[in-house]
Structures are given as C-alpha cells and as structure tokens.
Amino acid sequence: MTITTDSFEPIVGAFGLRTFSVDRRHRLHPITTHWLRALRSRMPDIPGAWSPEGTCQATCRKGRVHTVPDTDCTCGIYACYCLDDLRDIHPELASQLIAVIEPQGRGEAGDWGFRCQSASIVALWSDDAEHAAAVGAASAPQAAIYSDLDQMITDHGLRFTRHHPWQR
C-alpha cells in the first residue's frame, strides 16, 4: 500500500476490503505469519484479534509503546479500496472470505487503501454461504451477509479493478 500523507486524522466516509484467517470456531484473526502458523498447528484456543462484536483495536506487534498508527512503524489495521489489490496480496484467502470494514479513530489514507487505529466489520462475503453465516454469527453479528460479492463491493462504493491516480 502506498501511503501518501504523514498526518493521522480520522478517515471519514470510507470503507475498505480485507480478508482474514478463520479458526475452527469461526473467529477472525489477522493475516500474519504468527497467526497462520498457530492456526495451521490447530491450537485449541487462539484468542481472536477481532472481537465477537466485529471490531478490532490495533496494537503494535513490535512491543513499542506508541499511538497506532505511527509514522515510524507499520502497525495498524490495513484495508484496500480495490478487490484486485486485495487478491494480489492474499490470493487464496481473498477468494474465500472478504469483509468490508469501516475505519475508526486515527488513520492514514493512501492511493491503494488505508491503515487505521480501529475498525468495525460492516459486511461479509464468502464463497460458501454457510461459512459466511457462521463467521458472521461468531465474529460480526451486526455485519450484513452477502452472497453476491459484486453487490457488496458496489453497495460500499469500492472498486473491482485498479484505478490509481497515475493511471489514465
């Protein structure tokens, strides 16, 4: 993601696309090497980074004490504005589960997406309707569940393909 500003202000009126690792209890986890390794080892009880209410508060995973996000760190909750970008970053997971999130608190918007201090899930899509319903019930009960990915993206003003400012 290209970040275009050093100021951290609330990001108002924007939505972003992201995907997750999902454990066997249908809880959502960030996509990092640590979490993926733990999920694949089938650890019995991994706490979810996203609350059962479908919200998340970012913390610095490097153990630094600072407000998230910070210009000297990569911490924060990330989301893309475009489906193509999300699928380039996480091709396997983004073909199975995609959420629309709404940023809250401090944030930094760029050409490809944003990173923010906290976020809430407003919509979910899965290639498996039963899976989407189970994830929604366990991890984001307030989120709208979509069976049509195109409709979810359109309803939230997001894009399917890249259209960056330098492209004409």
Side-chain angles (χ1 to χ4, degrees), residues 68-142:
V68 176
D70 184 78
T71 54
D72 295 328
C73 195
T74 59
C75 59
I77 300 165
Y78 285 77
C80 298
Y81 298 133
C82 165
L83 181 61
D84 281 349
D85 290 335
L86 182 65
R87 287 189 167 160
D88 280 351
I89 298 166
H90 303 291
E92 184 178 336
L93 292 172
S95 66
Q96 299 168 12
L97 178 72
I98 297 175
V100 173
I101 66 168
E102 183 175 25
Q104 299 164 345
R106 292 164 40 102
E108 187 171 43
D111 295 333
W112 295 28
F114 60 80
R115 70 177 173 144
C116 59
Q117 183 177 36
S118 60
S120 61
I121 298 169
V122 297
L124 280 170
W125 167 88
S126 176
D127 62 343
D128 176 338
E130 287 182 30
H131 180 63
V135 169
S139 298
Q142 80 294 348

